């Protein structure tokens, strides 16, 4: 029985408010003793011309409000709120059996059935290193894609590769002058970065040299746009080699895409976009360039065609969104891209709207902050930012970051294993560290509101007792070990007595398990996976409190042991489900 749903249905009967609206209004009281759900009566004050506490009192007395509750839910008026309290035993039985039924897919729904949701994320730039900034979009986007598919949406994962633009004219030019074939084979992105930097350094030599290089680059980009075979072949090679490097990282992180249509894919569609905007009378000349003015939106004009006739980033995005709508008739088209590009997306969506495409309203820019390294104090008390080796200047490459994290994780896991008398082989340690380390990185990006900057610190990230992935995975592994031990001793879990799990610690675990389902929906609605990370972190804390205060295998009665083991099982499923939504794996032992 879904009591929240039943409560909403009854409130709908009593008040005439829309059920969906009611579901959105129902709150979880800040303290457990206040009940399980609360409905604030403020919305009804206007139409009923009564004060909210009075409305709460009258509603409380209504027969219709308690229909189907069968004594399992008690109703209270508290000021402007109606509080609903579900019988602890009934709640425990309901929640645990639902979880056992769904297993590690607990939290899934079918609210998105038949709806296409495009989630564009990662979108690194060809020939440039994949850095920790791209990790944010990659990890956040992957998590949102997981969450939406678990809610039943048909998710299409797009990687809008930065594989086009004037910089490719420069790269072609630089490659012909200084490209080193062997280095290209060895590490294409490093080599492409090297020659790109060299191009810019050479431009600084003299203004003649700069003009010569820039002219050649412009010429090469034009040839590329016109489809000249030699330029196209070079570009294709840069793209293929870079993509191979990116794909290795994706594979390591367990991330997949359905579509790699980068910016280049849309370049041939741009004349159509330009014509459409022209036909609608939206394109204006401005200093030789073509723009769409957006004054009425309070936005600067959107540049569509540059004065030299070449196309730019925004025009490719316009072509892309029209293509996506045509192909997928999307319910939502989500861009997981850093906050610095907020204006760009506002402009693109405003142009669409101006051109009469209402699906502009279904396009969403999901922005995020920056990863910053927490300064540390050196011996003299001066603040220093911990840096670690990168070959490409100040940029921290994701692969280096992941390597360093798994290394540090392995140290901890090895130490723990040694404390237990060395119960893990090197191979096991390596395997576990990869999952826990990558999980730690992902969790760091997902544990707080996405628009906040992250103040990164190694010790925080790998604190096995903190709000971290290692803590959650460790809790999961601990539960699995309890379950294994019980099985070895011939003890089983059973739902039969779960309704007896009404002690304070048990109730707290069950309450937090019950709230997980809503957290998933809220995470999707607000594009904030941290609603899930926060919830599973609460579940893990509640579980560990229960674990420390209660005997499980050695419980007083068989009934109590079986019920508690079942609760353990439910918690393990829910943790696994939540971590999986965040793109984080689990280990059975660590
Ligand atoms: N490649 C871009 C970058 O690295 C991000 C692309 C964002 N997506 C888009 N549709 N414009 O900054």
């Amino acid at each position: 029985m879904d009591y929240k749903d039943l409560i909403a249905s009854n409130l709908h009967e009593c008040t005439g408010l829309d059920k969906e609206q009611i579901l959105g209004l129902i709150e979880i009281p800040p303290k457990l003793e206040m009940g399980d759900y609360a409905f604030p009566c403020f919305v009804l004050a206007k139409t009923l011309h009564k004060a909210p506490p009075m409305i709460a009192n009258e509603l409380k007395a209504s027969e219709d409000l308690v229909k189907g509750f069968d004594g399992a839910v008690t109703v209270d008026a508290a000021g402007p709120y109606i509080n609903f309290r579900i019988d602890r035993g009934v709640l425990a039985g309901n929640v645990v059996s639902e979880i056992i039924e769904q297993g590690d897919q607990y939290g899934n729904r079918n609210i998105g059935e038949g709806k296409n949701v495009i989630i564009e994320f990662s979108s690194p730039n060809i020939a440039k290193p994949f850095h920790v900034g791209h990790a944010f979009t990659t990890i956040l986007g992957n998590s949102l894609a997981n969450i939406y598919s678990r809610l039943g949406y048909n998710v299409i994962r797009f990687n809008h590769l930065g594989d086009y633009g004037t910089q490719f004219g420069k790269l072609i030019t630089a490659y012909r002058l200084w490209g080193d074939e062997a280095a290209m084979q060895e590490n294409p992105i490093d080599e492409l970065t090297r020659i790109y930097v060299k191009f810019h350094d050479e431009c600084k030599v003299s203004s003649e040299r700069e003009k010569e290089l820039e002219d050649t680059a412009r010429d090469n980009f034009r040839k590329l746009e016109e489809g000249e075979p030699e330029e196209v072949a070079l570009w294709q090679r840069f793209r293929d080699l870079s993509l191979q490097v990116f794909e290795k990282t994706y594979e390591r992180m367990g991330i997949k895409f359905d579509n790699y249509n980068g910016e280049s894919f849309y370049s041939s569609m741009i004349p159509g976009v330009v014509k459409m905007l022209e036909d609608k009378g939206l394109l204006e000349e401005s200093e030789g360039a073509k723009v769409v003015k957006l004054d009425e939106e309070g936005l600067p004009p959107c540049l569509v065609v540059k004065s030299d006739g070449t196309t730019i980033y925004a025009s490719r995005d316009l072509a892309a969104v029209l293509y996506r709508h045509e192909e997928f008739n999307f319910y939502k088209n989500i861009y997981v891209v850093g906050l610095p590009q907020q204006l760009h997306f506002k402009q693109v969506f405003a142009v669409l709207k101006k051109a009469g495409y209402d699906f502009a309203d279904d396009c969403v820019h999901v922005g995020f902050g920056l990863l910053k390294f927490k300064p540390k104090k050196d011996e003299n008390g001066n603040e220093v930012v911990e840096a670690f080796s990168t070959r490409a200047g100040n940029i921290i490459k994701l692969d280096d970051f992941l390597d360093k994290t798994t290394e540090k994780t392995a140290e901890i896991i090895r130490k723990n294993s040694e404390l237990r008398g060395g119960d893990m082989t090197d191979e096991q340690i390596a395997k576990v560290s990869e999952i826990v380390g990558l999980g730690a990185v992902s969790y760091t990006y997902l544990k707080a509101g996405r628009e906040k900057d992250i103040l990164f610190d190694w010790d925080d990230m790998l604190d096995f007792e903190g709000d971290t992935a290692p803590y959650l995975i460790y809790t999961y592994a601990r539960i699995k070990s309890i379950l294994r031990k019980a099985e070895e001793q011939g003890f089983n879990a059973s739902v039969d007595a779960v309704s007896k799990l009404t002690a304070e610690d048990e109730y707290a675990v069950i309450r937090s398990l019950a709230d997980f389902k809503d957290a998933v929906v809220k995470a999707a609605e607000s594009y904030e996976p941290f609603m899930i990370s926060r919830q599973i972190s609460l579940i893990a804390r509640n579980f560990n409190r229960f674990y420390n205060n209660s005997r499980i295998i050695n419980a007083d009665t068989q009934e109590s042991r079986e019920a508690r083991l079942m609760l353990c099982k439910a918690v393990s499923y829910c943790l696994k489900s939540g971590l999986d939504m965040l793109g984080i794996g689990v280990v059975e032992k660590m």
Side-chain angles (χ1 to χ4, degrees):
M1 169 72 75
D2 184 339
Y3 281 103
K4 186 180 177 191
D5 198 77
L6 180 60
I7 290 168
S9 296
N10 290 359
L11 278 167
H12 162 71
E13 292 294 324
C14 295
T15 64
L17 288 175
D18 185 55
K19 188 173 155 192
E20 283 305 309
Q21 188 193 358
I22 295 171
L23 280 169
L25 286 170
I26 290 179
E27 297 170 14
I28 291 169
K31 289 196 185 118
L32 286 182
E33 59 270 20
M34 293 166 78
D36 299 298
Y37 296 111
F39 178 74
C41 296
F42 305 100
V43 275
L44 297 162
K46 245 203 181 128
T47 42
L48 298 176
H49 303 290
K50 280 183 199 157
M54 196 165 170
I55 300 172
N57 255 319
E58 285 175 12
L59 268 176
K60 190 197 132 186
S62 156
E63 292 266 311
D64 285 341
L65 192 64
V66 296
K67 241 191 321 190
F69 286 176
D70 289 332
V73 186
T74 42
V75 185
D76 253 334
Y81 287 91
I82 308 187
N83 289 341
F84 298 86
R85 188 187 317 269
I86 301 166
D87 178 83
R88 288 186 180 184
V90 171
L91 183 71
N94 269 314
V95 173
V96 174
S97 17
E98 186 175 346
I99 298 177
I100 298 306
E101 212 167 281
Q102 284 195 288
D104 60 14
Q105 299 299 300
Y106 176 58
N108 286 15
R109 306 259 184 118
N110 53 12
I111 50 184
E113 224 166 60
K115 291 177 181 147
N116 287 344
V117 170
I118 290 178
I119 303 190
E120 184 213 290
F121 64 104
S122 199
S123 311
N125 298 321
I126 293 301
K128 298 225 179 108
F130 197 104
H131 54 75
V132 292
H134 283 120
F136 210 148
T137 149
T138 307
I139 290 163
L140 175 60
N142 179 53
S143 174
L144 289 172
N146 292 344
I147 295 167
Y148 272 87
S149 22
R150 296 282 215 101
L151 292 176
Y153 292 92
N154 178 35
V155 174
I156 307 120
R157 297 158 171 255
F158 264 70
N159 192 329
H160 189 80
L161 287 178
D163 61 359
Y164 216 62
T166 46
Q167 72 272 27
F168 285 93
K170 294 180 186 172
L171 274 175
I172 292 171
T173 310
Y175 187 74
R176 283 178 176 151
L177 288 169
W178 313 295
D180 174 343
E181 193 43 45
M184 262 304 254
Q185 299 281 354
E186 173 83 18
N187 190 330
I189 296 193
D190 280 357
E191 175 61 2
L192 288 166
T193 310
R194 180 188 73 83
I195 61 172
Y196 193 67
V197 170
K198 186 160 170 73
F199 182 96
H200 288 278
D201 287 346
E202 281 277 316
C203 282
K204 288 185 203 134
V205 171
S206 68
S207 50
E208 291 87 62
R209 183 69 172 146
E210 181 180 10
K211 187 172 179 322
E212 183 194 340
L213 284 169
E214 292 282 358
D215 284 349
T216 318
R218 206 167 302 118
D219 206 42
N220 282 335
F221 180 58
R222 199 177 30 250
K223 284 186 186 154
L224 178 62
E225 282 222 285
E226 285 162 3
E228 289 290 335
E230 266 184 50
E231 282 70 20
V232 171
L234 272 179
W235 166 84
Q236 187 71 50
R237 186 132 188 271
F238 300 158
R239 188 185 194 275
D240 291 348
L241 290 174
S242 304
L243 196 52
Q244 276 170 23
V245 177
F246 299 153
E247 275 178 330
K248 259 193 226 143
T249 307
Y250 293 140
E251 201 183 303
R252 180 174 188 187
M253 299 175 77
I255 291 174
K256 288 202 172 73
F257 292 92
D258 300 305
N259 190 306
Y260 275 104
N261 288 347
E263 291 183 42
S264 66
F265 179 83
Y266 304 102
S267 70
S268 65
M269 302 170 198
I270 290 176
V273 175
V274 173
K275 183 168 183 306
M276 175 276 288
L277 293 172
E278 238 152 25
D279 290 349
K280 295 189 175 171
L282 299 178
L283 225 44
E284 291 179 42
E285 293 274 333
S286 168
E287 294 162 34
K290 289 183 180 159
V291 304
V292 176
K293 289 223 170 112
L294 299 167
D295 297 346
E296 66 288 358
E297 301 292 327
L299 295 171
C302 180
L303 183 58
V304 179
V305 185
K306 283 206 276 196
S307 51
D308 65 3
T310 53
T311 62
I312 69 152
Y313 189 53
S315 19
R316 290 190 279 277
D317 260 323
L318 284 168
V321 65
L322 292 169
Y323 168 85
R324 290 177 189 180
H325 191 261
E326 179 76 23
E327 283 292 300
F328 297 99
N329 187 24
F330 54 73
Y331 168 72
K332 264 182 193 175
N333 176 31
I334 298 168
Y335 299 84
V336 185
V337 183
L339 282 171
Q341 294 197 34
Q342 194 166 41
L343 177 62
H344 163 76
F345 286 107
K346 278 191 180 156
Q347 288 176 302
V348 169
F349 303 161
V351 170
L352 284 178
K353 192 90 193 197
K354 213 171 163 176
Y357 297 108
D358 283 338
F359 58 75
D361 296 333
D362 306 322
C363 296
V364 191
H365 170 219
V366 172
F368 52 82
L370 295 172
L371 180 88
K372 292 179 178 162
F373 283 74
K374 206 189 238 180
K376 289 220 151 142
K377 296 241 160 70
D378 65 10
E379 318 78 87
N380 307 319
N382 299 320
E383 285 204 340
V384 285
V385 175
E386 188 183 1
F388 60 99
S389 81
T390 64
R391 269 137 283 152
N394 283 327
I395 291 169
I396 296 167
K397 288 203 249 171
L398 178 58
D399 269 325
D400 294 340
F401 187 39
L402 297 181
D403 286 345
K404 179 120 183 183
T405 310
T406 49
E407 240 170 68
K408 283 181 178 266
T409 310
E411 276 169 34
I412 302 174
I413 306 248
R414 182 179 304 281
K415 224 181 261 158
N416 288 347
S417 158
E418 277 162 9
L419 285 175
R420 293 187 305 254
D423 60 358
M424 287 172 89
T425 64
D426 284 351
E427 203 185 321
Q428 280 170 329
I429 292 173
K431 225 169 140 190
V432 167
S433 309
E434 177 77 5
I435 294 174
V436 175
L438 295 195
V441 170
S442 296
Y443 196 82
T444 298
Y445 284 96
L446 299 176
K447 72 183 237 188
R450 59 184 156 80
E451 295 197 350
K452 288 199 199 109
D453 288 344
I454 299 164
L455 209 49
F456 175 81
D457 177 79
W458 291 107
D459 296 334
D460 292 349
M461 178 171 83
L462 296 175
D463 180 357
F464 276 46
E465 295 292 321
D467 181 17
T468 62
Y471 171 74
L472 295 171
I473 301 173
Y474 184 67
T475 304
Y476 175 84
R478 164 182 278 169
I479 299 175
K480 293 306 272 216
S481 131
I482 300 170
L483 292 171
R484 273 194 308 270
K485 240 182 246 156
E487 211 178 297
E488 278 161 24
Q489 300 179 27
F491 297 142
N492 289 318
S494 157
V495 271
D496 294 345
V498 163
S499 60
K500 300 253 165 68
L501 297 175
T502 55
E504 213 52 38
D505 288 343
E506 293 160 344
Y507 172 63
V509 176
I510 285 160
R511 178 72 256 167
S512 51
L513 287 172
D515 293 342
F516 176 77
K517 276 167 65 184
D518 276 355
V520 179
V521 176
K522 292 217 168 92
E525 281 169 353
S526 57
Y527 315 102
E528 289 282 18
F530 97 93
M531 306 234 162
I532 293 172
S533 57
R534 192 176 55 184
Q535 192 63 31
I536 52 175
S537 159
L538 178 66
I539 293 169
R541 302 248 160 241
N542 287 341
F543 174 79
N544 283 318
R545 185 153 15 91
F546 156 73
Y547 171 80
N548 289 327
N549 296 339
S550 349
R551 282 174 302 168
I552 300 174
I553 295 185
N554 300 319
D556 290 338
T557 63
Q558 178 188 347
E559 214 180 28
S560 162
R561 178 179 55 238
E562 291 181 349
R564 285 178 179 170
L565 283 173
M566 199 45 116
L567 182 61
C568 288
K569 217 173 193 173
V571 171
S572 75
Y573 279 141
C574 185
L575 287 180
K576 184 163 186 227
S577 178
L579 285 168
D580 179 64
M581 290 181 193
L582 304 177
I584 298 173
V586 291
V587 299
E588 301 298 307
K589 205 176 145 189
M590 75 190 256

